[in-house]
Amino acid sequence: MSLIAALAALCKFVRETDAETNEVSAFEKEEFIARADDLLNKGLMHAHARSMWEYIPSFAHDTSDIDGQEGRPLADRLQDYGPPKLAVAGPWTETRPPHRNTARLARFRDDVFDIAAIPPSASLAQTIYQALCEVTATPIDRPTDAVLATSDGPGCLAVTGRRGQGGLEPVLWLCPLGSQGDATDMPVVSLDPGLTEPASALGMDVERKLVFVADRFRIKSFSWDPAVPPTAGPSSGPNATGFSSTHTLCSKRFNGPLAILPGGKLIRAGIGKIGVWNIDDDTGSHKNERPLSEHLCARTDHENIDMTGGARPDATVHFEDKTLLPTAWHYHASTEHMLCAEDGARSGRYGCSLVDLEARGRKVVRFLGMGGAARSFSTTDADANVFAVAGGDGYARLYDVRHPLPVLTINTGKGLEHCPDALYVHPDGIPTLFTAGFRSHSVKLWDLRAGACVYELSTGNNVVVRMVWDAPRNILYAATKNEYLDAQGRHVDYRRADIPRWAAREGQVNDESRSTRWCDRDDEWDANQLSWPNRAFHEEDFFGYAYDAGGHALMSYNFKDNADPTVLPRFGGAS
């Protein structure tokens, strides 16, 4: 029996045991699942140690046919399916966009989606599933993470990144969003958060309008509340107004992810413990750490670093597992617990779990079946029990918190790439998933009812680092990085572009444009000749507009029923 077959047999046994309602007690189930988790991890450690696969094939999906009966929980309605249908090879002009205003940077899969499956009353879903969106791109520094504070009122988008020689200087990009949100003119502001190195953790408090950004030693916060006077350091941007710096917290023993809990509690993970700060405490009772030493600073521009030591944690919670170090986590509101993932290469644990912080980090539920580390989690208010996980093994999975194995497994990477991010959304109550591409340089939209990829959106030949969904404004943001820049920011590994006339930014599809070229790689080279990456995943004619970002970019896909398909980002200008 092969290793994958053995792992699959064990997962089948777990699924059957989980389905038992009378003969097996809850305690016995928990003990059995914990032992199965240990066995799966040993098998995965063996596979990774011997480099059997770059991306381990799925072994925990359910291949049985499940009745699609209305009114049942999502966990009972969805079934697993294999690799998505490969994109058709011909040019974009051979595809059939469902609407005349469908974005030219969207490419639909043939014969996998019928717009009639979306009821006419679901206007937002109709808009999203027909890719009626205006696309813009804002140049940024190399991004590392992104987070969004969203509400029916004003919101804020935050992106962390790195800049400067060797990428050692941190940068924080902030984009305040009005009640309506205008994706065509985002007031993006960049500032130096004063950290010793590029940020490794990011979080946002919607209620208090605070952005938290952290390096290995400290956590700093900035207010995006317009009522708070700006006090932050140097900022730049078309609408730079400055932001108020409000907190500096010492987190030397806690350098994992951070999160904001209800009641004004900020937490950050360390090895076997978490630090807790009461961010509403303005009594001055915090004990402050001594100022930092310059030798701890990775960057050389010491004059731009805030050397303040920061306030120590108000409390420390020690986990019952002294080796537990979450690498990604997410507050699960309906259970009031934390979804936690670990680094399998470090800990030998490749699944994720639901952790009760009030019970010293006890693993309330273990979620099995992942062949690589979880990259991110996503939840939606429309479905309290189901969450999405983006996996380092190239799969996106949906789990139900009441069951240990995935209810849906999507092979987003097709064995070629990991899945950097996944967003679980419910436009008009229709379960939908956005997945990010690493090597594939795109964002894919999946109809979870049909088990199919509907279309993919171009990211301008950029790798997707993080996505966020702005539900009140119906905007998808993607922080993307360009892999064709050297340390000095110069373009490398580009060739002459070969762009059909219809694929130019102002191009239109007609008989003449189908047979002529706007840019031809065989033309005589000149300084104004457009370029295309040699290793780009898509050719110039794959989308309706041949777009190369030419640098790191914050992509915005603004879905609206009256979308203007001519709103497109300018070509990046790589040479």
Side-chain angles (χ1 to χ4, degrees), residues 336-378:
E336 299 183 345
H337 297 324
M338 296 294 294
L339 291 166
C340 292
E342 299 179 67
D343 179 5
R346 173 192 167 275
S347 66
R349 293 187 284 263
Y350 293 91
C352 53
S353 56
L354 195 64
V355 171
D356 184 355
L357 298 182
E358 295 184 357
R360 298 185 58 203
R362 187 177 74 86
K363 294 180 179 180
V364 179
V365 183
R366 296 170 186 258
F367 303 106
L368 318 182
M370 299 184 62
R375 303 281 177 162
S376 67
F377 298 98
S378 176

mmCIF file of all heavy atoms in Angstrom, residues 336-378:
data_model
loop_
_atom_site.group_PDB
_atom_site.id
_atom_site.type_symbol
_atom_site.label_atom_id
_atom_site.label_comp_id
_atom_site.label_asym_id
_atom_site.label_seq_id
_atom_site.Cartn_x
_atom_site.Cartn_y
_atom_site.Cartn_z
ATOM 1 N N GLU A 336 -16.063 31.471 19.760
ATOM 2 C CA GLU A 336 -15.229 32.308 20.627
ATOM 3 C C GLU A 336 -13.873 31.648 20.901
ATOM 4 O O GLU A 336 -13.280 31.839 21.955
ATOM 5 C CB GLU A 336 -15.952 32.624 21.948
ATOM 6 C CG GLU A 336 -17.247 33.395 21.741
ATOM 7 C CD GLU A 336 -17.921 33.763 23.050
ATOM 8 O OE1 GLU A 336 -17.553 33.178 24.102
ATOM 9 O OE2 GLU A 336 -18.804 34.636 23.034
ATOM 10 N N HIS A 337 -13.391 30.871 19.946
ATOM 11 C CA HIS A 337 -12.080 30.243 20.030
ATOM 12 C C HIS A 337 -11.216 30.723 18.861
ATOM 13 O O HIS A 337 -11.695 31.424 17.958
ATOM 14 C CB HIS A 337 -12.193 28.714 20.010
ATOM 15 C CG HIS A 337 -12.947 28.144 21.171
ATOM 16 N ND1 HIS A 337 -12.887 28.672 22.435
ATOM 17 C CD2 HIS A 337 -13.782 27.063 21.259
ATOM 18 C CE1 HIS A 337 -13.641 27.975 23.259
ATOM 19 N NE2 HIS A 337 -14.208 26.989 22.566
ATOM 20 N N MET A 338 -9.947 30.315 18.861
ATOM 21 C CA MET A 338 -9.011 30.695 17.810
ATOM 22 C C MET A 338 -8.743 29.508 16.886
ATOM 23 O O MET A 338 -8.427 28.403 17.335
ATOM 24 C CB MET A 338 -7.680 31.167 18.404
ATOM 25 C CG MET A 338 -7.758 32.414 19.247
ATOM 26 S SD MET A 338 -8.226 33.898 18.311
ATOM 27 C CE MET A 338 -6.809 34.097 17.233
ATOM 28 N N LEU A 339 -8.884 29.747 15.577
ATOM 29 C CA LEU A 339 -8.414 28.787 14.583
ATOM 30 C C LEU A 339 -6.906 28.954 14.466
ATOM 31 O O LEU A 339 -6.431 30.060 14.198
ATOM 32 C CB LEU A 339 -9.090 29.029 13.236
ATOM 33 C CG LEU A 339 -10.585 28.716 13.155
ATOM 34 C CD1 LEU A 339 -11.196 29.324 11.901
ATOM 35 C CD2 LEU A 339 -10.804 27.201 13.186
ATOM 36 N N CYS A 340 -6.155 27.891 14.667
ATOM 37 C CA CYS A 340 -4.691 27.981 14.710
ATOM 38 C C CYS A 340 -4.050 27.008 13.738
ATOM 39 O O CYS A 340 -4.483 25.861 13.604
ATOM 40 C CB CYS A 340 -4.168 27.685 16.120
ATOM 41 S SG CYS A 340 -4.594 28.939 17.340
ATOM 42 N N ALA A 341 -2.985 27.460 13.097
ATOM 43 C CA ALA A 341 -2.151 26.615 12.236
ATOM 44 C C ALA A 341 -0.726 26.679 12.742
ATOM 45 O O ALA A 341 -0.309 27.665 13.345
ATOM 46 C CB ALA A 341 -2.225 27.092 10.791
ATOM 47 N N GLU A 342 0.023 25.606 12.477
ATOM 48 C CA GLU A 342 1.423 25.536 12.889
ATOM 49 C C GLU A 342 2.321 25.307 11.686
ATOM 50 O O GLU A 342 1.859 24.897 10.609
ATOM 51 C CB GLU A 342 1.626 24.409 13.908
ATOM 52 C CG GLU A 342 0.823 24.571 15.176
ATOM 53 C CD GLU A 342 1.039 23.414 16.132
ATOM 54 O OE1 GLU A 342 2.162 23.267 16.660
ATOM 55 O OE2 GLU A 342 0.088 22.640 16.333
ATOM 56 N N ASP A 343 3.594 25.552 11.866
ATOM 57 C CA ASP A 343 4.595 25.282 10.843
ATOM 58 C C ASP A 343 4.981 23.811 10.933
ATOM 59 O O ASP A 343 5.651 23.390 11.875
ATOM 60 C CB ASP A 343 5.816 26.180 11.061
ATOM 61 C CG ASP A 343 6.905 25.932 10.028
ATOM 62 O OD1 ASP A 343 6.680 25.144 9.094
ATOM 63 O OD2 ASP A 343 7.982 26.548 10.148
ATOM 64 N N GLY A 344 4.549 23.029 9.946
ATOM 65 C CA GLY A 344 4.808 21.598 9.994
ATOM 66 C C GLY A 344 6.282 21.255 9.982
ATOM 67 O O GLY A 344 6.708 20.276 10.616
ATOM 68 N N ALA A 345 7.091 22.057 9.275
ATOM 69 C CA ALA A 345 8.521 21.777 9.219
ATOM 70 C C ALA A 345 9.164 21.923 10.597
ATOM 71 O O ALA A 345 10.141 21.242 10.914
ATOM 72 C CB ALA A 345 9.195 22.712 8.218
ATOM 73 N N ARG A 346 8.599 22.809 11.426
ATOM 74 C CA ARG A 346 9.152 23.027 12.770
ATOM 75 C C ARG A 346 8.552 22.075 13.794
ATOM 76 O O ARG A 346 9.263 21.484 14.613
ATOM 77 C CB ARG A 346 8.906 24.479 13.199
ATOM 78 C CG ARG A 346 9.300 24.764 14.650
ATOM 79 C CD ARG A 346 8.786 26.110 15.108
ATOM 80 N NE ARG A 346 8.909 26.226 16.560
ATOM 81 C CZ ARG A 346 8.018 25.788 17.426
ATOM 82 N NH1 ARG A 346 6.916 25.179 16.997
ATOM 83 N NH2 ARG A 346 8.204 25.938 18.731
ATOM 84 N N SER A 347 7.226 21.939 13.763
ATOM 85 C CA SER A 347 6.532 21.203 14.821
ATOM 86 C C SER A 347 6.177 19.774 14.443
ATOM 87 O O SER A 347 5.866 18.968 15.318
ATOM 88 C CB SER A 347 5.244 21.953 15.196
ATOM 89 O OG SER A 347 4.329 21.929 14.100
ATOM 90 N N GLY A 348 6.182 19.469 13.134
ATOM 91 C CA GLY A 348 5.742 18.149 12.701
ATOM 92 C C GLY A 348 4.238 17.989 12.716
ATOM 93 O O GLY A 348 3.728 16.879 12.594
ATOM 94 N N ARG A 349 3.497 19.101 12.817
ATOM 95 C CA ARG A 349 2.034 19.054 12.813
ATOM 96 C C ARG A 349 1.525 19.861 11.624
ATOM 97 O O ARG A 349 1.820 21.050 11.494
ATOM 98 C CB ARG A 349 1.478 19.604 14.130
ATOM 99 C CG ARG A 349 1.805 18.712 15.329
ATOM 100 C CD ARG A 349 1.110 19.196 16.584
ATOM 101 N NE ARG A 349 1.747 20.370 17.156
ATOM 102 C CZ ARG A 349 2.628 20.353 18.153
ATOM 103 N NH1 ARG A 349 2.996 19.192 18.679
ATOM 104 N NH2 ARG A 349 3.143 21.457 18.640
ATOM 105 N N TYR A 350 0.737 19.197 10.754
ATOM 106 C CA TYR A 350 0.356 19.807 9.485
ATOM 107 C C TYR A 350 -1.118 20.175 9.408
ATOM 108 O O TYR A 350 -1.539 20.792 8.439
ATOM 109 C CB TYR A 350 0.700 18.859 8.330
ATOM 110 C CG TYR A 350 2.193 18.682 8.150
ATOM 111 C CD1 TYR A 350 2.873 17.662 8.799
ATOM 112 C CD2 TYR A 350 2.917 19.551 7.352
ATOM 113 C CE1 TYR A 350 4.244 17.506 8.647
ATOM 114 C CE2 TYR A 350 4.288 19.405 7.193
ATOM 115 C CZ TYR A 350 4.941 18.373 7.846
ATOM 116 O OH TYR A 350 6.289 18.234 7.695
ATOM 117 N N GLY A 351 -1.909 19.806 10.370
ATOM 118 C CA GLY A 351 -3.309 20.190 10.344
ATOM 119 C C GLY A 351 -3.504 21.537 10.998
ATOM 120 O O GLY A 351 -2.576 22.337 11.155
ATOM 121 N N CYS A 352 -4.733 21.816 11.381
ATOM 122 C CA CYS A 352 -5.024 23.022 12.152
ATOM 123 C C CYS A 352 -5.998 22.630 13.255
ATOM 124 O O CYS A 352 -6.473 21.494 13.306
ATOM 125 C CB CYS A 352 -5.581 24.136 11.271
ATOM 126 S SG CYS A 352 -7.004 23.694 10.249
ATOM 127 N N SER A 353 -6.286 23.558 14.135
ATOM 128 C CA SER A 353 -7.113 23.218 15.298
ATOM 129 C C SER A 353 -7.883 24.433 15.779
ATOM 130 O O SER A 353 -7.552 25.576 15.446
ATOM 131 C CB SER A 353 -6.238 22.668 16.431
ATOM 132 O OG SER A 353 -5.217 23.595 16.773
ATOM 133 N N LEU A 354 -8.900 24.152 16.572
ATOM 134 C CA LEU A 354 -9.678 25.189 17.244
ATOM 135 C C LEU A 354 -9.214 25.209 18.687
ATOM 136 O O LEU A 354 -9.353 24.217 19.413
ATOM 137 C CB LEU A 354 -11.173 24.870 17.144
ATOM 138 C CG LEU A 354 -12.148 25.999 17.462
ATOM 139 C CD1 LEU A 354 -12.020 27.136 16.463
ATOM 140 C CD2 LEU A 354 -13.583 25.461 17.450
ATOM 141 N N VAL A 355 -8.631 26.321 19.107
ATOM 142 C CA VAL A 355 -7.950 26.412 20.394
ATOM 143 C C VAL A 355 -8.744 27.282 21.363
ATOM 144 O O VAL A 355 -9.181 28.387 21.004
ATOM 145 C CB VAL A 355 -6.524 26.972 20.205
ATOM 146 C CG1 VAL A 355 -5.871 27.290 21.545
ATOM 147 C CG2 VAL A 355 -5.670 25.976 19.430
ATOM 148 N N ASP A 356 -8.909 26.789 22.570
ATOM 149 C CA ASP A 356 -9.587 27.535 23.639
ATOM 150 C C ASP A 356 -8.525 28.242 24.481
ATOM 151 O O ASP A 356 -7.803 27.610 25.252
ATOM 152 C CB ASP A 356 -10.409 26.570 24.505
ATOM 153 C CG ASP A 356 -11.218 27.292 25.580
ATOM 154 O OD1 ASP A 356 -11.060 28.533 25.721
ATOM 155 O OD2 ASP A 356 -11.995 26.624 26.283
ATOM 156 N N LEU A 357 -8.416 29.552 24.326
ATOM 157 C CA LEU A 357 -7.392 30.308 25.045
ATOM 158 C C LEU A 357 -7.661 30.348 26.542
ATOM 159 O O LEU A 357 -6.725 30.438 27.343
ATOM 160 C CB LEU A 357 -7.299 31.733 24.490
ATOM 161 C CG LEU A 357 -6.881 31.873 23.015
ATOM 162 C CD1 LEU A 357 -6.796 33.336 22.633
ATOM 163 C CD2 LEU A 357 -5.553 31.166 22.754
ATOM 164 N N GLU A 358 -8.920 30.290 26.936
ATOM 165 C CA GLU A 358 -9.245 30.336 28.357
ATOM 166 C C GLU A 358 -8.952 29.015 29.059
ATOM 167 O O GLU A 358 -8.966 28.960 30.287
ATOM 168 C CB GLU A 358 -10.714 30.716 28.538
ATOM 169 C CG GLU A 358 -11.039 32.133 28.057
ATOM 170 C CD GLU A 358 -12.471 32.510 28.341
ATOM 171 O OE1 GLU A 358 -13.218 31.644 28.852
ATOM 172 O OE2 GLU A 358 -12.845 33.660 28.065
ATOM 173 N N ALA A 359 -8.701 27.959 28.272
ATOM 174 C CA ALA A 359 -8.348 26.653 28.845
ATOM 175 C C ALA A 359 -6.900 26.328 28.507
ATOM 176 O O ALA A 359 -6.577 25.196 28.165
ATOM 177 C CB ALA A 359 -9.289 25.574 28.327
ATOM 178 N N ARG A 360 -6.039 27.341 28.595
ATOM 179 C CA ARG A 360 -4.602 27.195 28.380
ATOM 180 C C ARG A 360 -4.287 26.630 26.988
ATOM 181 O O ARG A 360 -3.383 25.821 26.809
ATOM 182 C CB ARG A 360 -3.979 26.304 29.447
ATOM 183 C CG ARG A 360 -4.115 26.847 30.871
ATOM 184 C CD ARG A 360 -3.375 25.964 31.843
ATOM 185 N NE ARG A 360 -1.945 25.859 31.481
ATOM 186 C CZ ARG A 360 -1.158 24.850 31.862
ATOM 187 N NH1 ARG A 360 -1.655 23.869 32.602
ATOM 188 N NH2 ARG A 360 0.109 24.828 31.504
ATOM 189 N N GLY A 361 -5.033 27.086 26.010
ATOM 190 C CA GLY A 361 -4.737 26.692 24.643
ATOM 191 C C GLY A 361 -5.084 25.254 24.314
ATOM 192 O O GLY A 361 -4.483 24.654 23.419
ATOM 193 N N ARG A 362 -6.063 24.694 24.995
ATOM 194 C CA ARG A 362 -6.462 23.312 24.705
ATOM 195 C C ARG A 362 -7.080 23.220 23.321
ATOM 196 O O ARG A 362 -7.866 24.063 22.913
ATOM 197 C CB ARG A 362 -7.471 22.808 25.750
ATOM 198 C CG ARG A 362 -7.808 21.334 25.617
ATOM 199 C CD ARG A 362 -8.742 20.885 26.727
ATOM 200 N NE ARG A 362 -10.102 21.380 26.525
ATOM 201 C CZ ARG A 362 -11.019 20.750 25.780
ATOM 202 N NH1 ARG A 362 -10.715 19.618 25.169
ATOM 203 N NH2 ARG A 362 -12.236 21.256 25.671
ATOM 204 N N LYS A 363 -6.712 22.169 22.586
ATOM 205 C CA LYS A 363 -7.252 21.952 21.247
ATOM 206 C C LYS A 363 -8.632 21.326 21.359
ATOM 207 O O LYS A 363 -8.767 20.131 21.634
ATOM 208 C CB LYS A 363 -6.313 21.067 20.430
ATOM 209 C CG LYS A 363 -4.956 21.735 20.139
ATOM 210 C CD LYS A 363 -4.047 20.842 19.320
ATOM 211 C CE LYS A 363 -2.729 21.569 19.034
ATOM 212 N NZ LYS A 363 -1.782 20.734 18.236
ATOM 213 N N VAL A 364 -9.649 22.157 21.164
ATOM 214 C CA VAL A 364 -11.030 21.704 21.310
ATOM 215 C C VAL A 364 -11.413 20.787 20.152
ATOM 216 O O VAL A 364 -12.074 19.758 20.327
ATOM 217 C CB VAL A 364 -11.985 22.913 21.375
ATOM 218 C CG1 VAL A 364 -13.429 22.457 21.507
ATOM 219 C CG2 VAL A 364 -11.599 23.825 22.525
ATOM 220 N N VAL A 365 -11.016 21.157 18.941
ATOM 221 C CA VAL A 365 -11.283 20.358 17.743
ATOM 222 C C VAL A 365 -10.011 20.322 16.912
ATOM 223 O O VAL A 365 -9.353 21.358 16.733
ATOM 224 C CB VAL A 365 -12.447 20.937 16.900
ATOM 225 C CG1 VAL A 365 -12.726 20.033 15.705
ATOM 226 C CG2 VAL A 365 -13.698 21.120 17.738
ATOM 227 N N ARG A 366 -9.660 19.146 16.396
ATOM 228 C CA ARG A 366 -8.532 19.005 15.476
ATOM 229 C C ARG A 366 -9.094 18.816 14.072
ATOM 230 O O ARG A 366 -10.019 18.025 13.865
ATOM 231 C CB ARG A 366 -7.665 17.802 15.851
ATOM 232 C CG ARG A 366 -6.996 17.915 17.220
ATOM 233 C CD ARG A 366 -6.372 16.588 17.598
ATOM 234 N NE ARG A 366 -5.854 16.614 18.954
ATOM 235 C CZ ARG A 366 -4.562 16.751 19.267
ATOM 236 N NH1 ARG A 366 -3.660 16.867 18.295
ATOM 237 N NH2 ARG A 366 -4.173 16.769 20.522
ATOM 238 N N PHE A 367 -8.501 19.534 13.117
ATOM 239 C CA PHE A 367 -8.921 19.419 11.724
ATOM 240 C C PHE A 367 -7.798 18.745 10.943
ATOM 241 O O PHE A 367 -6.682 19.270 10.839
ATOM 242 C CB PHE A 367 -9.253 20.796 11.155
ATOM 243 C CG PHE A 367 -10.319 21.521 11.947
ATOM 244 C CD1 PHE A 367 -9.997 22.581 12.778
ATOM 245 C CD2 PHE A 367 -11.640 21.114 11.884
ATOM 246 C CE1 PHE A 367 -10.962 23.232 13.523
ATOM 247 C CE2 PHE A 367 -12.620 21.755 12.631
ATOM 248 C CZ PHE A 367 -12.275 22.823 13.446
ATOM 249 N N LEU A 368 -8.108 17.572 10.399
ATOM 250 C CA LEU A 368 -7.116 16.721 9.765
ATOM 251 C C LEU A 368 -7.212 16.822 8.241
ATOM 252 O O LEU A 368 -8.161 17.370 7.696
ATOM 253 C CB LEU A 368 -7.325 15.263 10.188
ATOM 254 C CG LEU A 368 -7.650 14.980 11.658
ATOM 255 C CD1 LEU A 368 -7.773 13.485 11.884
ATOM 256 C CD2 LEU A 368 -6.617 15.596 12.577
ATOM 257 N N GLY A 369 -6.207 16.244 7.584
ATOM 258 C CA GLY A 369 -6.298 16.075 6.132
ATOM 259 C C GLY A 369 -5.503 17.045 5.303
ATOM 260 O O GLY A 369 -5.614 17.038 4.076
ATOM 261 N N MET A 370 -4.681 17.888 5.910
ATOM 262 C CA MET A 370 -3.869 18.833 5.157
ATOM 263 C C MET A 370 -2.470 18.273 4.962
ATOM 264 O O MET A 370 -1.878 17.708 5.883
ATOM 265 C CB MET A 370 -3.802 20.179 5.874
ATOM 266 C CG MET A 370 -5.144 20.847 6.061
ATOM 267 S SD MET A 370 -5.009 22.477 6.814
ATOM 268 C CE MET A 370 -4.050 23.332 5.574
ATOM 269 N N GLY A 371 -1.930 18.440 3.752
ATOM 270 C CA GLY A 371 -0.598 17.955 3.456
ATOM 271 C C GLY A 371 0.482 18.998 3.597
ATOM 272 O O GLY A 371 1.660 18.726 3.363
ATOM 273 N N GLY A 372 0.110 20.200 3.963
ATOM 274 C CA GLY A 372 1.060 21.299 4.155
ATOM 275 C C GLY A 372 0.497 22.282 5.153
ATOM 276 O O GLY A 372 -0.651 22.163 5.598
ATOM 277 N N ALA A 373 1.283 23.274 5.506
ATOM 278 C CA ALA A 373 0.856 24.255 6.508
ATOM 279 C C ALA A 373 -0.287 25.106 5.987
ATOM 280 O O ALA A 373 -0.354 25.436 4.800
ATOM 281 C CB ALA A 373 2.038 25.140 6.901
ATOM 282 N N ALA A 374 -1.200 25.472 6.889
ATOM 283 C CA ALA A 374 -2.274 26.404 6.542
ATOM 284 C C ALA A 374 -1.697 27.806 6.407
ATOM 285 O O ALA A 374 -0.955 28.263 7.268
ATOM 286 C CB ALA A 374 -3.362 26.377 7.607
ATOM 287 N N ARG A 375 -2.039 28.473 5.315
ATOM 288 C CA ARG A 375 -1.541 29.831 5.064
ATOM 289 C C ARG A 375 -2.465 30.904 5.626
ATOM 290 O O ARG A 375 -2.002 31.961 6.055
ATOM 291 C CB ARG A 375 -1.374 30.051 3.555
ATOM 292 C CG ARG A 375 -0.468 29.047 2.871
ATOM 293 C CD ARG A 375 0.970 29.390 3.095
ATOM 294 N NE ARG A 375 1.865 28.405 2.495
ATOM 295 C CZ ARG A 375 3.146 28.623 2.248
ATOM 296 N NH1 ARG A 375 3.672 29.790 2.541
ATOM 297 N NH2 ARG A 375 3.906 27.685 1.722
ATOM 298 N N SER A 376 -3.761 30.658 5.582
ATOM 299 C CA SER A 376 -4.714 31.663 6.064
ATOM 300 C C SER A 376 -6.064 30.999 6.317
ATOM 301 O O SER A 376 -6.335 29.903 5.822
ATOM 302 C CB SER A 376 -4.869 32.804 5.056
ATOM 303 O OG SER A 376 -5.498 32.339 3.865
ATOM 304 N N PHE A 377 -6.904 31.697 7.088
ATOM 305 C CA PHE A 377 -8.263 31.259 7.373
ATOM 306 C C PHE A 377 -9.237 32.335 6.896
ATOM 307 O O PHE A 377 -8.906 33.518 6.850
ATOM 308 C CB PHE A 377 -8.474 31.038 8.872
ATOM 309 C CG PHE A 377 -7.602 29.973 9.474
ATOM 310 C CD1 PHE A 377 -6.433 30.310 10.145
ATOM 311 C CD2 PHE A 377 -7.954 28.632 9.381
ATOM 312 C CE1 PHE A 377 -5.632 29.338 10.712
ATOM 313 C CE2 PHE A 377 -7.164 27.649 9.941
ATOM 314 C CZ PHE A 377 -5.994 27.999 10.610
ATOM 315 N N SER A 378 -10.460 31.904 6.593
ATOM 316 C CA SER A 378 -11.494 32.856 6.188
ATOM 317 C C SER A 378 -12.841 32.360 6.687
ATOM 318 O O SER A 378 -13.170 31.177 6.554
ATOM 319 C CB SER A 378 -11.525 33.002 4.657
ATOM 320 O OG SER A 378 -12.580 33.864 4.249
#
